[in-house]
Amino acid sequence: LTFPLLSVTLLVSFGSSMLYGYNLAVVNSPAVHIKAFYNATWSQRYGHGLAPGLLTLLYSVTVSIFALGGLVGSLLVGILVERYGRNGALSRSALLVLLAGGFMGFSRELESPEMVIVGRSITGLHSGICLSVVPLYLGEIAPKNLRGFLGLMPSIFICLGVFLAQVLGLPELLGEERFWPLFLSVVVIPASLQLLLLHCFPESPRYLLIERNDICGATKALCRFLGTHDVQDVIEEMKEEQQSLSSVEMVSVWQLLRDRTVRWQTLSVVVLNAGMQLSGIDAIWFYTNTIFENAGIPMSQIPYTTVGTGVIEVVTGLIGCFTIEKLGRRPLIITGFCTMGICSAGITVSLLLQTTLPWMRYVSVACVVGIIAGFCIGPAGVPFLMTAELFTQSHRPAAYIVGGSLNWLCNFTVGFIFPFLQMSAGAFCYLVFCGVCLLVALYVYIIIPETKNKTFMEISHIFA
């Protein structure tokens, strides 16, 4: 583990992945203030306030438009990484965050709720790009014995981003009514740092050699990342992959979906990415305060309870990161989904019983913590890592488009529908998430092989 390898991992995780986690949770604590701003602005414009149903709809759009932006960003990944490379795509996408921060930061001054929604959609566009490009970049620069460790580093920073949003959202910090535009626009700081420093690190050696046929550039990049001039074995492995793909161009999404030779890999990416979002974790992140309020936690204690869940996220994310190379991918992801499924059922039971047993509210909190812990141990980062591992260079960008699109589409669905699902189904809405989690765990157990310490070609041969 060399200094350049660790540095670039920390930089892209801090400047890209952390922003995804931050933007997932940032709308949670200032929800009341944002709704009040929408209502006040509507009253100024039209002489009357918003109806409760319309206000809920407008706020749901504000929350879920982030995922629609992410969906668009994920569809652009293939074009961007092919034209600008992995490093170049990340550098350019940071400019989007600066634009989004300006929209959200000045929205109240200009009395424009539309600017909040536009800013949220642009941050989603950035996250949609980075959520696929960061693991793609790290998966290609990391040696196979460190691919799991470095591949899960972004998931730790996603958890840190959620935790940072929870801490800054406390009433003593940026949780006051006057600070919510600043709270939304803090994202410009990590993005600016990435924009300034990322050009100091080389492009992905696999991209340079296999797609650009730049052997000299790939050798220099490998020497820099691995800290040694003895890189001939790695170069030969890349050449072998390049030779096997010499008659194959970069495949499109349509070609990937029709290619029978990778159908199980493609199905696995679909199941993992859709299952990750339909597991209910987004409902927890978007509406943590509402869930705790329904569980009977006093309003004054909710912000601090939420911060406590953030600490659990970071700790379990670190556990997953440091155990993945020892335990493997499959055990972590199966354990994570099973834990989430059991805890989702636990929330349903505790909410149904809390009217007769008041202490069940604490069981609800424990189950929320269990869902978060289960997610951060495995499902938070392993699906992105495995998308890079299950495919060779020609299919990888298209696979990230498929996985990323489903990820964001399901993210939007959960973010938009959950408030209405909660109103109609009550406590039983969590049973949907329970079923999804257990089915995904069963699929992984039966279908997906272990990929630890295997080259991309070896993994491809296992599926073949």
Side-chain angles (χ1 to χ4, degrees), residues 115-129:
M115 290 178 69
V116 180
I117 295 172
V118 170
R120 285 280 294 169
S121 66
I122 296 174
T123 57
L125 182 65
H126 168 264
S127 292
I129 295 168

Side-chain angles (χ1 to χ4, degrees), residues 76-94:
L76 297 174
V77 166
I79 298 170
L80 293 174
V81 297
E82 189 176 349
R83 179 174 298 179
Y84 302 115
R86 285 61 168 147
N87 186 303
L90 289 173
S91 297
R92 287 165 174 79
S93 67

